[in-house]
Amino acid sequence: MITLDQYDFNGKRALIRVDFNVPLDANHQITDDIRIKAAVPTIQKILRDGGSVVLMSHLGRPKNGPEIKFSLRHVVGRLGQLLETDVKFASNCIGDEVLAQCQQLQPGQVLLLENLRFHPQEKEGDPDFAKQLAQLGDVYVNDAFGTAHRAHASTAIIAQYMADKVCGYVIEKELTMIDQVLQNAQAPFTAIMGGAKISDKIKIIDTLLPKVDHLIIGGGMAYTFFKAMGGEVGASLVEKDSIGLAKSLIDQAKEQNTELHLPIDSLIADSFSNDAACEVALNHQIKAGWMGLDIGPQAIEVFTNIVKKSKTILWNGPMGVFELSNFANGTKAIAKAMVEATKNGAFSLVGGGDSAAAVNFMGLADQVTYVSTGGGALLEYVEGKTLPGIAALAQEAIKHD
């Protein structure tokens, strides 16, 4: 796999798959630009070399073709500010007009294409669509780790039609950081798993159990564990189909000599609302009709003490419904404990998705070792799966017209 620093882009038109799938508010203003910022070093390196840049990405989940709320036009202004250059925009991502715009680019110029997913062929991995995209550049650069687990036209299939394929800085750093956690972790190694469902995390938990010293479980998935142990969890989220799975994970942790930490208590509420009545309860004694929406004060104390003493930390998934401010304390406490551990020399990796959103929202992203740009991609890579977008960078160009 060729990395960015191994390739000279002088006189080349680089077609870069970036991940500009950023959140927008009702007025189409960007509310978190971390993914755009992540791509800037790759773009700047190519421009410094004397190349031009064509950027392609998806945004959101459009279902019926072009929709203004999913247009990448909303990204142009912020991208131009970060690059300190004018960014041109193409109102489509394929077609004769777009091809002409790409061919007219001069060294140092940047063109952003419209949302790839306005065409269903992108997600379908359609070869003809990929072939049309491949005509837009001389060299293909993949820097979208967040979609590397998808065999889409722009992330994997396109590589069959381009002789020169290069790994961007984002993907290179993501793989380096994750490999550091998986292969060179310094003990004590703590993994923190949050989120709603055990079934979403079972494979990564299976992979990590033999490697970690501590496995902390928070978020909605914790209540399935307590149900498996015979506890009363009220109206808390429980995956009934995963109760047996929770029991087996408890047994596996014992066999692997891994300390499995479940939250002692929760902040419970009488409804799923920021305005709900709240109180603290032990997690095996939650009263009927009430639900756990965040870890409680005892759990926060236990979990943060473990995190602060760790030398390697991997965090994926919030401790509660952090988007509701009254139930964000557990997630915030974990983030602050990671920052403290990092200051004391720990290697800390925040694993994309909601965890990354929380750390970014708190302004702590630059105080941990690394914040991944990929949620699902990170999970699948840690699980040991081959990511199509990564594998494609190493394959030969096998089809030409």
Side-chain angles (χ1 to χ4, degrees), residues 172-203:
E172 184 182 2
K173 190 165 187 181
E174 291 274 359
L175 299 181
T176 300
M177 291 295 175
I178 302 169
D179 286 344
Q180 170 71 25
V181 165
L182 294 179
Q183 298 169 16
N184 300 301
Q186 187 179 347
F189 179 6
T190 297
I192 308 156
M193 294 289 126
K197 297 180 178 179
I198 299 178
S199 55
D200 291 342
K201 303 286 170 75
I202 178 59
K203 290 179 181 175

Side-chain angles (χ1 to χ4, degrees), residues 154-174:
S154 69
T155 60
I157 311 305
I158 188 174
Q160 299 173 20
Y161 305 102
M162 300 193 77
D164 289 0
K165 295 175 282 289
V166 180
C167 170
Y169 286 140
V170 171
I171 286 186
E172 184 182 2
K173 190 165 187 181
E174 291 274 359

Side-chain angles (χ1 to χ4, degrees), residues 238-253:
V238 171
E239 275 187 285
K240 291 180 181 176
D241 293 345
S242 295
I243 288 174
L245 199 57
K247 288 179 180 176
S248 70
L249 286 173
I250 292 168
D251 292 338
Q252 276 180 252

Side-chain angles (χ1 to χ4, degrees), residues 188 193 210 312 334 349:
M193 294 289 126
T312 306
I334 291 293
L349 175 61

Side-chain angles (χ1 to χ4, degrees), residues 23-289:
L24 304 173
D25 64 20
N27 297 314
H28 306 135
Q29 298 299 305
I30 299 166
T31 58
D32 182 354
D33 64 0
I34 193 76
R35 287 179 170 174
I36 303 174
K37 287 178 176 175
V40 166
T42 290
I43 299 168
Q44 287 178 330
K45 193 275 183 193
I46 294 166
L47 298 179
R48 279 197 310 271
D49 275 5
S52 58
V53 167
V54 179
L55 300 168
M56 54 180 179
S57 179
H58 76 285
L59 174 61
R61 296 178 177 176
K63 299 222 179 339
N64 303 304
E67 295 179 64
I68 188 63
K69 67 178 179 179
F70 295 125
S71 175
L72 280 164
R73 189 181 299 274
H74 309 307
V75 172
V76 172
R78 183 62 181 138
L79 178 61
Q81 289 173 353
L82 292 168
L83 291 175
E84 298 181 345
T85 191
D86 288 334
V87 174
K88 301 174 186 296
F89 184 71
S91 57
N92 204 336
C93 59
I94 54 170
D96 292 341
E97 190 177 323
V98 175
L99 179 58
Q101 282 182 272
C102 293
Q103 291 172 337
Q104 289 163 13
L105 285 178
Q106 299 299 308
Q109 292 186 323
V110 179
L111 173 68
L112 174 63
L113 306 180
E114 184 55 285
N115 194 337
L116 292 160
R117 290 191 187 172
F118 284 169
H119 299 265
Q121 298 96 323
E122 160 66 1
K123 289 179 71 174
E124 292 165 1
D126 182 79
D128 290 333
F129 183 71
K131 205 178 295 185
Q132 290 184 71
L133 292 174
Q135 295 173 350
L136 305 180
D138 305 315
V139 52
Y140 171 66
V141 179
N142 192 352
D143 213 24
F145 182 73
T147 55
H149 60 314
R150 307 292 190 197
H152 292 171
S154 69
T155 60
I157 311 305
I158 188 174
Q160 299 173 20
Y161 305 102
M162 300 193 77
D164 289 0
K165 295 175 282 289
V166 180
C167 170
Y169 286 140
V170 171
I171 286 186
E172 184 182 2
K173 190 165 187 181
E174 291 274 359
L175 299 181
T176 300
M177 291 295 175
I178 302 169
D179 286 344
Q180 170 71 25
V181 165
L182 294 179
Q183 298 169 16
N184 300 301
Q186 187 179 347
F189 179 6
T190 297
I192 308 156
M193 294 289 126
K197 297 180 178 179
I198 299 178
S199 55
D200 291 342
K201 303 286 170 75
I202 178 59
K203 290 179 181 175
I204 190 171
I205 291 173
D206 268 342
T207 303
L208 289 173
L209 269 176
K211 300 176 183 289
V212 301
D213 300 293
H214 301 276
L215 176 61
I216 292 173
I217 300 288
M221 73 166 85
Y223 304 105
T224 301
F225 282 90
F226 284 105
K227 192 70 175 176
M229 294 186 291
E232 295 294 334
V233 297
S236 303
L237 179 67
V238 171
E239 275 187 285
K240 291 180 181 176
D241 293 345
S242 295
I243 288 174
L245 199 57
K247 288 179 180 176
S248 70
L249 286 173
I250 292 168
D251 292 338
Q252 276 180 252
K254 289 176 184 173
E255 290 168 12
Q256 303 279 2
N257 292 320
T258 298
E259 292 193 46
L260 176 64
H261 303 276
L262 294 165
I264 299 167
D265 56 350
S266 282
L267 183 61
I268 64 172
D270 62 356
S271 67
F272 192 90
S273 166
N274 206 41
D275 302 320
C278 300
E279 58 184 64
V280 174
L282 295 175
N283 271 334
H284 58 282
Q285 296 176 355
I286 298 175
K287 55 191 181 184

